[in-house]
Amino acid sequence: MADNDKLIKGMQIIVTELSQQADGHAIQSRIFGAAGFSKLEEKYAEHAEEERGYVVKCIDRILDLGGDVKLEAKKEGFVTKDPIEWIKYDLQVSKDGLAFLKTLVEEARDDYTTFDILKEYYQDEEEDMYWGEQQLELIECIGAQNWILRQL
């Protein structure tokens, strides 16, 4: 297990942080739904479920590698009623997550199973980052009010 310690620790970080993100996305989905932003409600509800799937994959892989999975304490997360502030926040989370994931994916390059799980998650997170960037560019182009109307 000594060779897997870094991978196990990194995947435990994903389990802890991504379960927090999934909860945050589920909460934001409900907030957006209550405000009438049905497109954002649906997007973030689906996103939360997708993230929970990656958490399960990481838990299973930690166990496969002989590690112990922990239910770690999580810090309070950001919640807002402002969809544009949320997009900005979530974009930064994606950028920070990708920086961390890049090093972990490299660490897993000789463990093909773990590599595939992390690579898939990296690609999904990268797609989320591009979506956030696209939305902010769209807001800049058509204006905040027009973008908000598109989210109804």
Side-chain angles (χ1 to χ4, degrees), residues 32-33 35-44 150-152:
F32 292 146
F37 299 122
S38 59
K39 290 181 181 176
L40 292 174
E41 175 186 20
E42 183 179 327
K43 176 179 179 40
Y44 285 106
R150 293 175 55 132
Q151 306 312 311
L152 298 175

Side-chain angles (χ1 to χ4, degrees), residues 51-79:
E51 289 169 329
R52 287 188 178 100
Y54 287 118
V55 169
V56 168
K57 287 179 182 182
C58 288
I59 289 169
D60 290 347
R61 191 61 185 153
I62 290 169
L63 295 171
D64 289 345
L65 294 172
D68 295 322
V69 181
K70 301 173 191 127
L71 180 60
E72 297 176 320
K74 297 178 259 182
K75 63 185 183 320
E76 182 177 337
F78 178 72
V79 177

Side-chain angles (χ1 to χ4, degrees), residues 61-126:
R61 191 61 185 153
I62 290 169
L63 295 171
D64 289 345
L65 294 172
D68 295 322
V69 181
K70 301 173 191 127
L71 180 60
E72 297 176 320
K74 297 178 259 182
K75 63 185 183 320
E76 182 177 337
F78 178 72
V79 177
T80 182
K81 292 181 179 181
D82 183 334
I84 296 172
E85 287 304 309
W86 176 258
I87 299 295
K88 290 176 183 177
Y89 168 79
D90 206 38
L91 174 59
Q92 189 59 53
V93 169
S94 289
K95 288 179 178 181
D96 294 344
L98 284 169
F100 167 75
L101 273 174
K102 184 176 182 177
T103 60
L104 193 57
V105 169
E106 283 299 314
E107 186 69 36
R109 70 181 169 264
D110 292 330
D111 175 346
Y112 300 128
T113 301
T114 305
F115 179 83
D116 286 346
I117 293 167
L118 295 174
K119 180 181 155 195
E120 179 186 358
Y121 175 44
Y122 184 95
Q123 290 169 330
D124 182 68
E125 198 61 34
E126 186 177 56

Side-chain angles (χ1 to χ4, degrees), residues 135-151:
Q135 297 312 298
L136 292 177
E137 288 169 6
L138 191 57
I139 291 165
E140 184 71 27
C141 182
I142 67 173
Q145 292 305 315
N146 288 328
W147 181 84
I148 287 172
L149 285 173
R150 293 175 55 132
Q151 306 312 311

